Amino acid sequence: MKFTTVVPIKEAKRRITYDDRILSLGSCFAVNMSEKFKAFQFQNTVNPFGILFHPLAIERLLHYAVEGYEFTAQDVFEHNEVWSCLMAHSDLNELEEEDIVTKLNVKLFDLQVALKDASHLVLTFGTAWVYEHIETQEVVANCHKLPQHLFRKRLLSYTELLDSYHRIVKLVQTINPTIHIIFSISPVRHIKDGVVENQRSKSLLIAALHQLLEEVNNDNLSYFPAYEVLMDELRDYRFYTADLLHPNSIAIDYIWERFVETNISVEMYPIMKKVDEVQKGLAHRPFNPTATQHMVFLDTLIEKIDFLLEKYPFMNFR
């Protein structure tokens, strides 16, 4: 008997290896996945500008990276003695104007380098609901707790999403023609927008994204159904955190397993297994650190680390 509906996932034609470099951009689920990449010691860069929830925010920063934009004092503002930028997450906030402008330009350079060097780009979109800054009429990435009357909330249309997806692909391929882009929709539910409103948002994101994939029909574009796996295979609140909105560690582990099965090279599995053994070994806290048995365990652990570092010097087990 089957107790779950298994979501079929197409195997990627260009699977990830330890020699590849990965850039992850998007919602908090992009951070969840990047933490897995980090735990298994893949070369991964995640969200230089912090969490970005909707396609237009990602598109804007990709445009900045491609055209060589330079942030200035006109791009930042002060509110409650904190300097912020409407195009970036609050992670980049600073107490001084000069510091945030410098940080924004450093992060933009990091994004440019990561885009040029990446073999794979993982894009995770969270919502189609956006906020427009009324004064500038620009869609922002983050409102930074500014007064609500300064913004207009609206739902991006199907056409706006599809056009943005096309521009994102074109921008990325302009700076890196051979990069493989893995699209995904975040399984995190944005209930603050409303239950029905969240479903409208996700359906628009998914429908427009599959339209893009049909229109472009490129082997360097693929879709990973993270949203569908949580909704259909893990259709139970025991797979959510206490807020009943975010996937918990069990769900993230399972979605990661499905990703590994379909997007990471089989030849990497033995290395991943050894990395996992090292990580667990480093986390181990012995009852008696001076015991002979523990000394043998440490010698074995050091041998594994030396083996991995000899093959992949970029790994870091500190």
Side-chain angles (χ1 to χ4, degrees):
M1 295 192 307
K2 291 184 179 180
F3 293 95
T4 184
T5 303
V6 177
V7 177
I9 304 176
K10 288 184 179 179
E11 293 186 9
K13 294 187 177 180
R14 211 171 130 197
R15 291 193 173 212
I16 296 169
T17 72
Y18 274 103
D19 294 320
D20 290 321
R21 293 177 183 269
I22 306 145
L23 172 62
S24 301
L25 298 175
S27 74
C28 49
F29 186 71
V31 176
N32 295 148
M33 294 298 285
S34 71
E35 287 173 350
K36 288 296 185 181
F37 283 125
K38 181 179 179 181
F40 284 96
Q41 295 289 326
F42 285 93
Q43 301 180 83
N44 177 58
T45 300
V46 58
N47 281 343
F49 283 85
I51 292 171
L52 303 170
F53 293 103
H54 59 80
L56 293 188
I58 295 173
E59 180 195 335
R60 171 70 66 87
L61 292 175
L62 289 173
H63 178 70
Y64 284 174
V66 171
E67 74 169 14
Y69 186 80
E70 182 177 353
F71 286 96
T72 67
Q74 294 181 341
D75 296 302
V76 300
F77 65 92
E78 183 186 19
H79 180 64
N80 290 336
E81 301 181 12
V82 174
W83 286 90
S84 308
C85 174
L86 292 173
M87 298 305 144
H89 191 268
S90 57
D91 288 347
L92 276 71
N93 287 356
E94 290 287 348
L95 297 178
E96 301 292 338
E97 178 186 43
E98 183 180 351
D99 291 339
I100 189 172
V101 172
T102 299
K103 180 184 281 188
L104 287 167
N105 284 310
V106 168
K107 292 297 184 180
L108 186 59
F109 178 76
D110 291 343
L111 178 58
Q112 289 171 328
V113 172
L115 269 174
K116 291 176 181 177
D117 292 346
S119 59
H120 293 75
L121 170 62
V122 182
L123 291 174
T124 305
F125 304 117
T127 183
W129 287 99
V130 298
Y131 288 87
E132 286 182 342
H133 190 232
I134 295 174
E135 181 180 347
T136 62
Q137 295 187 346
E138 289 186 338
V139 173
V140 303
N142 196 296
C143 295
H144 298 286
K145 298 182 179 180
L146 287 172
Q148 189 174 356
H149 70 267
L150 297 177
F151 301 93
R152 179 188 302 109
K153 182 179 179 180
R154 71 178 182 86
L155 185 66
L156 293 173
S157 70
Y158 180 91
T159 301
E160 285 179 302
L161 287 167
L162 181 58
D163 289 346
S164 180
Y165 290 156
H166 274 288
R167 289 192 295 267
I168 286 172
V169 171
K170 186 175 181 180
L171 284 166
V172 171
Q173 292 179 340
T174 296
I175 201 168
N176 188 338
T178 62
I179 196 170
H180 182 88
I181 305 175
I182 303 171
F183 292 99
S184 185
I185 302 300
S186 170
V188 178
R189 296 184 299 152
H190 292 247
I191 298 302
K192 286 184 179 180
D193 295 324
V195 176
V196 174
E197 289 77 7
N198 173 70
Q199 290 298 91
R200 291 177 64 194
S201 167
K202 298 291 188 185
S203 63
L204 283 167
L205 289 171
I206 294 170
L209 187 49
H210 284 282
Q211 182 69 36
L212 166 81
L213 295 174
E214 288 180 7
E215 291 180 359
V216 177
N217 191 22
N218 188 319
D219 287 343
N220 279 335
L221 304 183
S222 63
Y223 179 72
F224 178 72
Y227 175 82
E228 292 81 353
V229 168
L230 187 60
M231 293 298 107
D232 288 316
E233 290 194 43
L234 307 179
R235 194 185 298 177
D236 193 306
Y237 278 111
R238 62 185 164 142
F239 296 115
Y240 288 82
T241 57
D243 65 6
L244 304 181
L245 303 176
H246 292 76
N248 62 18
S249 60
I250 297 174
I252 293 169
D253 286 345
Y254 181 77
I255 294 172
W256 170 251
E257 286 180 8
R258 298 301 311 276
F259 184 87
V260 171
E261 291 170 0
T262 54
N263 285 271
I264 294 182
S265 172
V266 176
E267 285 75 18
M268 299 300 104
Y269 293 178
I271 302 297
M272 293 177 67
K273 183 176 184 295
K274 197 171 289 290
V275 169
D276 188 46
E277 291 171 354
V278 169
Q279 300 285 38
K280 289 177 179 176
L282 291 172
H284 176 66
R285 294 293 177 265
F287 179 73
N288 182 3
T290 61
T292 302
Q293 185 180 11
H294 182 63
M295 293 302 172
V296 173
F297 168 80
L298 289 179
D299 288 340
T300 302
L301 185 62
I302 291 171
E303 287 178 7
K304 291 178 180 178
I305 293 174
D306 288 342
F307 169 81
L308 290 169
L309 291 178
E310 185 176 351
K311 290 178 67 69
Y312 304 105
F314 57 80
M315 290 187 178
N316 185 353
F317 294 101
R318 294 178 183 178

